[in-house]
Amino acid sequence: MYNSQRRKSIEVRIGNLRLGGDNPVRVQSMVNTDTNDVKKSVNQAVRIIEAGAELVRFTARSIRESQNLGLIRKELRKRGYTTPLVADIHFNPAIAEVAAQYVEKVRINPGNFVKSIKKNNSGYTDEEFEQERLLMKEKFVNLLNVCKKHDTAIRIGVNHGSLSERMMNRYGDTPFGMVESCLEALRICREENFEKIVVSLKSSNTALMINSVRMLVARMDKEAFHYPLHLGVTEAGDGEDGRIKSAIGIGSLLVDGIGDTIRVSLSENPENEIPVAFGILQATRTRITKNEYIACPSCGRTLFDLQTTLKKVKEATSHLKNLKIAVMGCIVNGPGEMADADYGYVGTGRGKISLYKGKELMLKNIPEEKAVEKLLELIDIS
């Protein structure tokens, strides 16, 4: 249990992107412009893509907006951007069916896919519960048929804050209701032989989101549903708070080996979400896209300015990729604490630095003013 491996999911093709399976965990974001405004939507999508996003999502609240996604897609392709587009649909199945003709993936929320059949506040009988399920199934199957025709993927995205009335009545405001809502849709997909599926359970409550996804994975395994999972903490906020909540929620599951695509939801410009997402992937060692710097916090044993030195090492090695470089203030925090690093820069006395490759001491007591240069030489010849 302490040596987690990545959960094995099937590979799902979304346009030219392959998600799940052995592919890297993918990063995505969502445009916040009016989908009717093609120019603004395209320009923001370009900023998101150039920041590193591999999928871009748009809201579609009407038939017109769904159709407009075709114009947005056409303009992006004209500019040379082939990133798959996702339509985010709530409440109206007819809108989802239109959007599925213009984008590579449609996200629907089972909780609000059909209206409640209840006319009063009484609890659901078993008969009413099944009647509403069949209504949802009918609408959902219509969408699946359109997706089959246009080779469009679906994300079944359950949100804690928008469970259907029947699920709330049967399971309460709990992870059980979220999981059952998702499984109900997955069973329909299986009956219809539809496999182009991504799944997500989201909440603004970080602990609830983590527990719900873990519960879902266990239930999916029992029913042999091996679809890719999308991770995210909804309404995470902005600044430090939003980043911390996202890192805890997404990162905890990635460390478990769970997750095939992620979105960091910040109340900021959407392109700001991308570096945070890649930072979470880097920190969990899920997807390495840049150098990692391991550095001690400094203490009275440190005989040089560690902050200045770390900055110099970063600047000197910024052209390199996928290395773990340790900068340690003294021999106490040196070889042992940096054992995971590829290279080490360790203070050994006033103005003296020793350089390591892995755990092996390569150069001892170099003058500090020459140490960064010697580190680069050591990396270059290795």
Side-chain angles (χ1 to χ4, degrees):
M1 67 180 292
Y2 300 109
N3 295 293
S4 64
Q5 295 180 338
R6 185 177 174 186
R7 170 183 170 267
K8 192 68 174 178
S9 64
I10 65 170
E11 181 181 87
V12 173
R13 182 175 53 81
I14 304 169
N16 60 2
L17 183 77
R18 296 184 182 277
L19 189 151
D22 294 324
N23 296 292
V25 176
R26 304 299 188 179
V27 171
Q28 59 181 279
S29 184
M30 184 172 180
V31 171
N32 59 22
T33 57
D34 183 347
T35 309
N36 287 315
D37 191 326
V38 174
K39 184 177 180 180
K40 282 188 177 180
S41 297
V42 168
N43 287 341
Q44 190 175 82
V46 167
R47 292 196 297 273
I48 293 171
I49 293 166
E50 292 189 343
E54 296 159 294
L55 293 105
V56 180
R57 184 156 45 115
F58 297 79
T59 187
R61 297 165 295 180
S62 66
I63 297 294
R64 182 187 171 194
E65 287 188 9
S66 289
Q67 293 169 334
N68 223 45
L69 290 171
L71 299 177
I72 292 169
R73 185 176 184 272
K74 183 178 180 180
E75 180 61 25
L76 285 168
R77 301 298 179 260
K78 182 179 175 181
R79 296 192 193 186
Y81 297 98
T82 60
T83 304
L85 306 185
V86 184
D88 192 70
I89 311 295
H90 293 267
F91 303 111
N92 192 332
I95 296 173
E97 291 176 29
V98 174
Q101 302 174 47
Y102 297 105
V103 296
E104 286 81 7
K105 186 170 77 168
V106 171
R107 180 264 172 149
I108 63 103
N109 182 347
N112 53 37
F113 197 64
V114 296
K115 293 181 180 179
S116 171
I117 65 170
K118 292 292 291 181
K119 304 300 182 184
N120 53 53
N121 294 323
S122 64
Y124 275 78
T125 65
D126 289 345
E127 182 180 356
E128 288 171 331
F129 192 88
E130 177 62 10
Q131 183 182 348
E132 193 168 306
R133 186 192 74 84
L134 291 174
L135 176 62
M136 191 277 282
K137 178 180 178 180
E138 177 187 353
K139 300 294 185 182
F140 191 38
V141 169
N142 289 340
L143 174 59
L144 294 181
N145 288 334
V146 175
C147 289
K148 288 177 183 178
K149 181 178 179 180
H150 294 275
D151 198 27
T152 307
I154 281 182
R155 169 152 71 94
I156 298 168
V158 179
N159 278 10
H160 177 232
S162 54
L163 283 174
S164 67
E165 186 176 339
R166 60 193 276 270
M167 288 294 171
M168 289 281 287
N169 181 264
R170 180 63 57 95
Y171 300 101
D173 185 14
T174 67
F176 296 100
M178 295 176 68
V179 170
E180 190 55 41
S181 181
C182 181
L183 290 173
E184 187 175 79
L186 288 178
R187 292 173 191 132
I188 295 171
C189 289
R190 174 172 283 170
E191 291 171 8
E192 298 299 316
N193 296 313
F194 187 88
E195 291 281 295
K196 296 192 70 169
I197 305 164
V198 182
V199 176
S200 70
L201 298 188
K202 290 189 176 185
S203 173
S204 57
N205 180 327
T206 307
L208 188 146
M209 171 262 188
I210 294 169
N211 292 333
S212 297
V213 174
R214 286 173 175 164
M215 184 186 299
L216 175 66
V217 169
R219 293 284 301 279
M220 286 175 66
D221 286 347
K222 286 184 178 179
E223 298 194 35
F225 290 131
H226 304 300
Y227 303 112
L229 282 156
H230 169 69
L231 305 180
V233 178
T234 60
E235 299 98 22
D238 67 350
E240 182 180 81
D241 289 345
R243 285 158 173 80
I244 290 173
K245 287 181 72 173
S246 297
I248 295 289
I250 297 170
S252 297
L253 292 166
L254 290 173
V255 170
D256 283 350
I258 297 169
D260 301 281
T261 173
I262 68 172
R263 183 206 171 182
V264 174
S265 299
L266 298 178
S267 303
E268 302 177 17
N269 291 332
E271 57 266 33
N272 292 354
E273 299 174 355
I274 308 305
V276 183
F278 277 107
I280 293 171
L281 294 176
Q282 181 92 15
T284 56
R285 303 286 175 90
T286 305
R287 182 174 177 182
I288 305 300
T289 55
K290 60 184 179 180
N291 289 336
E292 181 173 346
Y293 295 92
I294 302 161
C296 66
S298 184
C299 69
R301 291 188 296 267
T302 304
L303 300 177
F304 59 85
D305 187 329
L306 194 138
Q307 292 182 34
T308 301
T309 302
L310 178 59
K311 184 179 179 181
K312 284 195 302 184
V313 171
K314 282 187 171 184
E315 289 174 349
T317 57
S318 62
H319 62 291
L320 304 170
K321 300 295 179 186
N322 304 337
L323 291 178
K324 296 189 288 290
I325 300 174
V327 179
M328 297 298 192
C330 70
I331 200 67
V332 173
N333 282 333
E337 299 296 330
M338 67 173 201
D340 191 39
D342 299 308
Y343 297 94
Y345 179 111
V346 181
T348 52
R350 191 170 298 280
K352 299 293 183 181
I353 305 297
S354 290
L355 299 178
Y356 289 76
K357 181 181 178 184
K359 297 180 181 180
E360 183 180 357
L361 176 62
M362 304 299 291
L363 296 169
K364 187 176 182 180
N365 295 332
I366 306 164
E368 185 180 350
E369 59 271 17
K370 295 184 178 181
V372 173
E373 176 187 346
K374 293 296 183 183
L375 173 63
L376 288 173
E377 290 177 3
L378 177 60
I379 294 172
D380 189 51
I381 64 173
S382 297

